[in-house]
Amino acid sequence: MIVLCAERLYTPQEEIWKPLLFIEDGFISAVSSRAQAEIPTHATVFDLGDAILTPGFVDVHMHGGAGVDVMRAVAGELPHLNKFLTTHGVTGYFPTTVAAPLDQTCQALERLADAIEAGCAGTKTGDDVQALLLGIHLEGPFLSHKRRGVHPLEYLVEPTLEIFSQLWQAARGHVRMMTIAPELPGALDVIAEAARRGVCVSIGHSDATTDAAAAGVRAGARHATHVFNAMRPLDHRDPGILGEVLTNGDITADIIADGIHLAPEIVKLFLLAKGIEHSVLITDAIAATGMPDGTYQLGPIEVEVKDGKCTKDGKLAASVLTMDRAIRNATKFSDWSLREAVRAATFNPAQAAGLRSQGKLAVGAEANVVALDSNGEVRRTMVRGRGF
Ligand SMILES: [Zn+2]
């Protein structure tokens, strides 16, 4: 048995002072406080001093980092990325595709499915902690031509059940999230089928009207992708998709809080609208994350990175954001506490994506734990009970 002691713990719905976190066989067996429980004599104790224990961060929209692009990575390259992610507190993520030729996408999905099944992300030794691949996010190819961002026009396709099935089969059922523009012909059937298979369908890269977005939600969509970015803009007489995303209390939604994709006031507006239960932080990070400025691949797309800004032909192209910085930014841009921002990077994404044993420090959850200092800087990261 392992017992972690610290100054505070975020479950994250609750805050516990002077906590004790009990871990057995990679899972959390009890959450308590020093006042309420004794430390068994046979336990291995890690005292984290004045640190705050939080669940490991869950990133549902991530294209790469540390020089590795998830669509192009060959076997053996992902562990380097997975290790890098833990240094920023991420213990689980969805490798995310971009629009690419269908055969290339299918090959990438097969490789990612292999990595997921091989547990290549699993931890091997005490020192070698790696973030876990929790499933695949398909960002495209069913995106709006008008709101495609940098996804290449020639690789966008109209949604059909046939193409969705082809992608599903290549991924061997490991697709857990899909971004789709609900206004496209055929989209509602694909949304319904994906939802039936347990995929968290997310509306985004979309020029939908409010009605078309609402129809997507009725068909089974329950989330929205990088809200405000690659979306029909909000107009007070014609609110479009944002009217649905910001006012529907049943759906969750995510943002890129890097200070580049959204003005701080818009981050604050989003957090006010979606609240502490429905707001999700993502990074949308690419291979350039944690690397010097230069030219990097995002699937088939070549991206220029300069001063922390990723562009393709002058258009914003994803980010070099890390999840710990997204959390700190959310507290800086709003009046949210560190605990509320942590929730948007842990419990909320896990709930949105149906990941029942992730994103919380609770009995039965995987022992994926981050020790933060009071400024939100990552000190230590534990994956499945290992790494401290
Ligand atoms: Zn993306």
Side-chain angles (χ1 to χ4, degrees), residues 284-353:
D284 203 0
I286 66 167
T289 310
M291 303 289 286
D293 285 355
T295 305
Y296 293 86
Q297 289 295 134
L298 166 58
I301 310 156
E302 201 165 86
V303 175
E304 290 299 323
V305 182
K306 199 165 178 274
D307 303 328
K309 195 169 171 177
C310 308
T311 54
K312 162 82 181 168
D313 303 330
K315 276 187 183 175
L316 264 184
S319 88
V320 290
L321 182 62
T322 56
M323 196 55 106
D324 54 335
R325 190 156 62 87
I327 290 169
R328 293 191 297 272
N329 283 345
T331 63
K332 254 183 252 163
F333 299 163
S334 73
D335 49 13
W336 274 26
S337 67
L338 182 60
R339 184 179 65 78
E340 289 165 331
V342 162
R343 176 175 172 151
T346 56
F347 187 73
N348 292 359
Q351 287 294 111

Side-chain angles (χ1 to χ4, degrees), residues 177-189:
M177 197 157 189
M178 177 174 67
T179 296
I180 183 169
E183 72 277 20
L184 298 178
L188 298 182
D189 286 343

Side-chain angles (χ1 to χ4, degrees), residues 21 25 36 72 74 97 103 117 180 203 221 224 228-229 249 253 258 264 284 316 334 351 376:
L21 186 67
D25 300 325
Q36 287 171 326
R72 297 161 65 94
V74 294
T97 61
D103 59 332
E117 287 171 11
I180 183 169
I203 51 176
F228 288 102
N229 295 119
D258 63 350
D284 203 0
L316 264 184
S334 73
Q351 287 294 111

Side-chain angles (χ1 to χ4, degrees), residues 8-351:
R8 281 182 280 166
L9 178 149
Y10 299 157
T11 64
Q13 297 94 319
E14 315 255 313
E15 178 167 352
I16 299 174
W17 283 82
K18 303 283 178 192
L20 294 176
L21 186 67
F22 296 82
I23 295 162
E24 284 176 86
D25 300 325
F27 287 87
I28 295 168
S29 56
V31 187
S32 187
S33 70
R34 264 178 251 190
Q36 287 171 326
E38 301 256 305
I39 299 174
T41 46
H42 65 276
T44 307
V45 180
F46 294 99
D47 190 344
L48 282 305
D50 63 355
I52 304 164
L53 300 178
T54 81
F57 308 152
V58 175
D59 193 350
V60 296
H61 191 143
M62 225 283 308
H63 301 284
V68 179
D69 178 74
V70 298
M71 273 189 99
R72 297 161 65 94
V74 294
E77 283 181 328
L78 285 174
H80 181 64
L81 167 63
N82 298 339
K83 233 170 158 168
F84 167 77
L85 290 172
T86 63
T87 64
H88 293 284
V90 173
T91 59
Y93 71 102
F94 289 163
T96 304
T97 61
V98 294
L102 199 57
D103 59 332
Q104 279 181 32
T105 303
C106 286
Q107 285 162 17
L109 293 175
E110 284 167 20
R111 285 195 298 271
L112 291 169
D114 288 343
I116 291 168
E117 287 171 11
C120 119
T123 51
K124 289 176 190 80
T125 73
D127 309 326
D128 192 23
V129 281
Q130 294 183 24
L132 308 160
L133 284 82
L134 301 172
I136 297 166
H137 179 166
L138 294 176
E139 188 181 16
F142 309 133
L143 309 178
S144 157
H145 284 200
K146 201 166 171 193
R147 305 290 173 194
R148 66 189 173 87
V150 298
H151 292 258
L153 192 62
E154 61 269 37
Y155 306 139
L156 300 180
V157 292
E158 279 190 0
T160 65
L161 291 174
E162 288 70 28
I163 296 173
F164 174 70
S165 286
Q166 213 177 322
L167 297 168
W168 179 265
Q169 278 164 24
R172 300 200 292 278
H174 291 294
V175 176
R176 297 296 295 262
M177 197 157 189
M178 177 174 67
T179 296
I180 183 169
E183 72 277 20
L184 298 178
L188 298 182
D189 286 343
V190 171
I191 290 172
E193 179 59 19
R196 196 184 66 76
R197 296 187 194 195
V199 176
C200 173
V201 178
S202 185
I203 51 176
H205 279 282
S206 163
D207 198 44
T209 60
T210 307
D211 286 350
V217 172
R218 280 195 304 275
R222 56 177 207 256
H223 190 76
T225 297
H226 46 51
V227 175
F228 288 102
N229 295 119
M231 267 183 189
R232 179 192 184 112
L234 186 68
D235 180 284
H236 57 294
R237 273 188 285 271
D238 176 18
I241 178 173
L242 279 157
E244 175 69 7
V245 169
L246 295 176
T247 64
N248 185 332
D250 292 331
I251 65 169
T252 48
D254 62 56
I255 50 163
I256 310 166
D258 63 350
I260 294 171
H261 281 75
L262 301 174
E265 295 79 4
I266 295 294
V267 171
K268 188 171 181 178
L269 177 68
F270 171 88
L271 297 177
L272 279 168
K274 297 312 294 178
I276 58 166
E277 292 182 359
H278 295 95
S279 298
V280 171
L281 298 173
I282 57 167
T283 65
D284 203 0
I286 66 167
T289 310
M291 303 289 286
D293 285 355
T295 305
Y296 293 86
Q297 289 295 134
L298 166 58
I301 310 156
E302 201 165 86
V303 175
E304 290 299 323
V305 182
K306 199 165 178 274
D307 303 328
K309 195 169 171 177
C310 308
T311 54
K312 162 82 181 168
D313 303 330
K315 276 187 183 175
L316 264 184
S319 88
V320 290
L321 182 62
T322 56
M323 196 55 106
D324 54 335
R325 190 156 62 87
I327 290 169
R328 293 191 297 272
N329 283 345
T331 63
K332 254 183 252 163
F333 299 163
S334 73
D335 49 13
W336 274 26
S337 67
L338 182 60
R339 184 179 65 78
E340 289 165 331
V342 162
R343 176 175 172 151
T346 56
F347 187 73
N348 292 359
Q351 287 294 111

